[in-house]
Amino acid sequence: MSLNGFCKRSVYWIQDFLHGSKVGKHYREIKTVMRSAEIGKKIQSERLAALLAHATANTAFYQRYAGRPLEQFPIMNKSKLIENYDAIVVPVDKIPEQETEKVHVQKTSGSTGTPFAIYQDSRKRHRRVAELKYFGQMVGFQSHEKLAQCRIWTNWQSKTKSQIFRENIYPINVSKMDDDTLRELCRTVRENRITAIRAYASWYDSLLAFLISGKGDAADLKTVKVMFSTSEELNVATKEAFQEQFCIPIVECYADEEAGIMAHQKVQDNRFYLNHASYIFEILKLEEDKPAAYGELGRIVITDLYNYAFPLIRYDTGDTAILAKGNEETGGWDYLEKIYGRRLDLIYDTKDNPIHPMSFARVLKNLDGIRQWQFIQKDKSKYLLKLNVQKEKFDLENTLLEIRKIVGQDADVQIEYVEDIPVLASGKRKMVICEWKKS
């Protein structure tokens, strides 16, 4: 713990207290629920009853389910939510504790190739902040300690200098997965004595190779106490290598942009502790909407207890997992033994520089008219972008402009319009594919 972090953390909590402890109340409730399933299930049951009553009273889509238990509500995926969007949105004047005339619009990165924008109310936003603080502290990272945030920073999402100062979050743009970016990360960590890194799972593969090859100096990371892995499935060998060779633990965080943190590991503990404080979890069979048995691979379906602007009820995340029965160490709560998320192909630009596949998702989610997409590298400088679009809103010229910013101005980018992007045998769509075998 640093004096700098302590002071900024103290200022934050004092300001939150003076404004009614809007984050603090959520933080304390999360802590109470996660500590004990016996107490937590009572609170969870109350929150679920309130959510269902709200959704059935204030949305056209759910009003027909009034008075029914959760298991009689329909399973929803991203496509179904988009199809019924207007019937699910709650009018602002019907949202409790909403603080502004407009709700927050959270755009997803489209990690399945289906971009999606979801409304989140003020209370949901406070909840998400509280979740970050709780799960960070669970692995020994106090909020407002220095954190390197490695992600695709775009024109639509960035950190101002004042935000960096207040939050102690140092943004590192990892759209290019090259040695220069890795050197910048190591330099930033060394010069600012950063204590934690948050990055995409595949980024740690590149960082490990960079250090082992001798191009980077592991001493640059000596102040790092923990690293957070997000967005993709982490390579087990990479996780073990960082722990064994550099004594830096990597903890995996299962989260998405439309909901928030759904599960989190602890240091040197491979169990995924589900966020029972904010969600109802169902692990359903792969081929039918019935509960999977403990130890059986099933689909992750969540009900968000705190989004009153756009209720996410029985939302199929598109990921799969194995559920395990809770024990004393987990507070009696069930947990996940393993999560099977998405591993994404690496793409190269026309100069042979590796590009993180999330670069495309971060851009395409902000372009109007795109329902689904899939990006394929066919050869060194030949690419194919498959698109399912809403033609009256879609701007082809701007889309090609943004894609060439990523892969190179000399790129040969072909467009193929499709009615649907096919799913894999797992039921998931692969948004980025590399068919070029780099020599």
Side-chain angles (χ1 to χ4, degrees):
M1 183 187 300
S2 67
L3 179 60
N4 177 282
F6 173 78
C7 292
K8 291 180 178 179
R9 189 164 52 251
S10 298
V11 169
Y12 177 87
W13 285 120
I14 290 171
Q15 290 179 336
D16 180 63
F17 174 77
L18 295 174
H19 288 87
S21 293
K22 292 175 181 177
V23 174
K25 288 176 181 177
H26 286 292
Y27 177 85
R28 291 188 290 274
E29 182 181 284
I30 293 169
K31 194 172 183 179
T32 298
V33 172
M34 295 296 291
R35 185 182 294 139
S36 167
E38 183 179 357
I39 297 171
K41 285 181 179 179
K42 294 177 182 177
I43 298 173
Q44 192 185 62
S45 179
E46 292 172 0
R47 299 291 180 264
L48 176 62
L51 172 74
L52 297 185
H54 169 76
T56 54
N58 297 299
T59 72
F61 183 81
Y62 286 114
Q63 64 181 4
R64 75 195 79 167
Y65 301 100
R68 297 190 191 184
L70 178 65
E71 57 268 23
Q72 291 185 15
F73 280 65
I75 304 292
M76 305 294 286
N77 57 27
K78 196 171 290 186
S79 295
K80 290 179 181 178
L81 290 174
I82 294 171
E83 181 182 342
N84 296 283
Y85 200 88
D86 292 340
I88 297 175
V89 171
V90 176
V92 175
D93 62 347
K94 300 294 184 182
I95 302 173
E97 300 182 36
Q98 178 60 22
E99 297 167 1
T100 61
E101 293 182 2
K102 293 184 178 180
V103 294
H104 176 79
V105 179
Q106 179 68 54
K107 293 186 176 180
T108 75
S109 61
S111 58
T112 59
T114 306
F116 182 43
I118 188 170
Y119 292 139
Q120 294 180 344
D121 57 281
S122 300
R123 190 170 60 158
K124 172 63 179 177
R125 301 301 296 173
H126 296 318
R127 189 76 176 188
R128 291 188 65 152
V129 173
E131 290 168 356
L132 279 168
K133 295 182 183 301
Y134 172 81
F135 286 102
Q137 190 166 3
M138 188 175 78
V139 298
F141 175 72
Q142 295 268 16
S143 69
H144 294 84
E145 295 297 322
K146 293 182 178 180
L147 170 74
Q149 180 84 20
C150 302
R151 60 171 296 167
I152 314 300
W153 295 99
T154 67
N155 296 333
W156 298 277
Q157 189 167 26
S158 60
K159 289 282 183 185
T160 65
K161 289 183 178 180
S162 63
Q163 283 179 308
I164 294 171
F165 176 78
R166 291 196 316 270
E167 300 170 1
N168 260 347
I169 295 177
Y170 294 76
I172 305 292
N173 192 338
V174 296
S175 56
K176 298 288 186 182
M177 299 178 70
D178 55 14
D179 290 349
D180 287 342
T181 307
L182 289 162
R183 290 191 189 95
E184 173 64 17
L185 169 63
C186 291
R187 182 196 64 77
T188 301
V189 171
R190 180 184 68 249
E191 293 182 358
N192 296 283
R193 301 187 62 80
I194 284 171
T195 61
I197 297 173
R198 186 182 298 274
Y200 305 121
S202 56
W203 179 249
Y204 290 117
D205 297 338
S206 299
L207 179 58
L208 178 63
F210 181 72
L211 296 173
I212 290 177
S213 68
K215 295 178 182 179
D217 186 352
D220 290 341
L221 306 182
K222 65 181 180 181
T223 59
V224 176
K225 306 301 181 187
V226 66
M227 299 196 294
F228 298 92
S229 172
T230 65
S231 296
E232 308 159 81
E233 189 178 342
L234 180 65
N235 188 323
V236 175
T238 297
K239 181 175 184 175
E240 292 175 349
F242 268 104
Q243 179 64 58
E244 294 169 4
Q245 298 184 41
F246 309 117
C247 296
I248 303 175
I250 303 179
V251 294
E252 295 182 67
C253 172
Y254 176 55
D256 64 21
E257 292 175 276
E258 51 263 46
I261 296 177
M262 294 178 286
H264 212 294
Q265 289 183 336
K266 294 182 180 179
V267 173
Q268 297 187 25
D269 184 345
N270 290 327
R271 286 173 289 203
F272 284 89
Y273 292 80
L274 289 163
N275 182 2
H276 294 286
S278 299
Y279 307 93
I280 300 290
F281 292 94
E282 299 175 80
I283 308 301
L284 302 182
K285 292 179 178 293
L286 296 179
E287 302 300 332
E288 54 183 331
D289 295 338
K290 294 181 179 180
Y294 289 125
E296 178 185 2
L297 183 67
R299 295 175 289 132
I300 301 175
V301 175
I302 68 164
T303 295
D304 187 338
L305 299 174
Y306 282 88
N307 191 349
Y308 275 44
F310 190 91
L312 283 178
I313 299 173
R314 305 196 82 191
Y315 171 54
D316 190 328
T317 67
D319 297 317
T320 57
I322 295 175
L323 187 68
K325 189 172 179 58
N327 53 39
E328 188 175 340
E329 289 183 66
T330 65
W333 287 111
D334 289 348
Y335 64 94
L336 299 181
E337 286 183 358
K338 177 68 176 174
I339 297 174
Y340 297 90
R342 301 173 179 87
R343 292 194 64 79
L344 309 175
D345 285 3
L346 203 62
I347 292 289
Y348 297 86
D349 66 15
T350 58
K351 307 300 182 186
D352 285 354
N353 297 312
I355 300 169
H356 197 285
M358 289 297 289
S359 299
F360 303 98
R362 293 292 177 192
V363 168
L364 292 172
K365 74 174 183 178
N366 290 294
L367 302 182
D368 291 336
I370 298 178
R371 293 194 184 103
Q372 294 175 324
W373 62 272
Q374 185 179 63
F375 190 82
I376 304 171
Q377 181 162 17
K378 308 294 287 186
D379 206 335
K380 179 179 178 180
S381 59
K382 293 184 178 180
Y383 308 88
L384 173 64
L385 178 60
K386 293 185 176 182
L387 291 170
N388 174 3
V389 302
Q390 191 174 352
K391 291 183 179 179
E392 61 271 20
K393 294 184 178 180
F394 178 63
D395 185 337
L396 174 59
E397 184 176 344
N398 186 49
T399 300
L400 288 172
L401 177 66
E402 293 295 338
I403 291 296
R404 289 196 174 101
K405 285 180 183 178
I406 300 173
V407 295
Q409 296 300 324
D410 57 338
D412 179 4
V413 182
Q414 299 296 316
I415 301 294
E416 179 183 339
Y417 294 105
V418 298
E419 292 298 321
D420 188 33
I421 305 294
V423 298
L424 303 174
S426 64
K428 301 174 185 177
R429 289 183 177 86
K430 194 167 186 180
M431 68 169 190
V432 175
I433 299 172
C434 186
E435 295 180 351
W436 176 50
K437 303 302 180 184
K438 186 174 184 290
S439 58

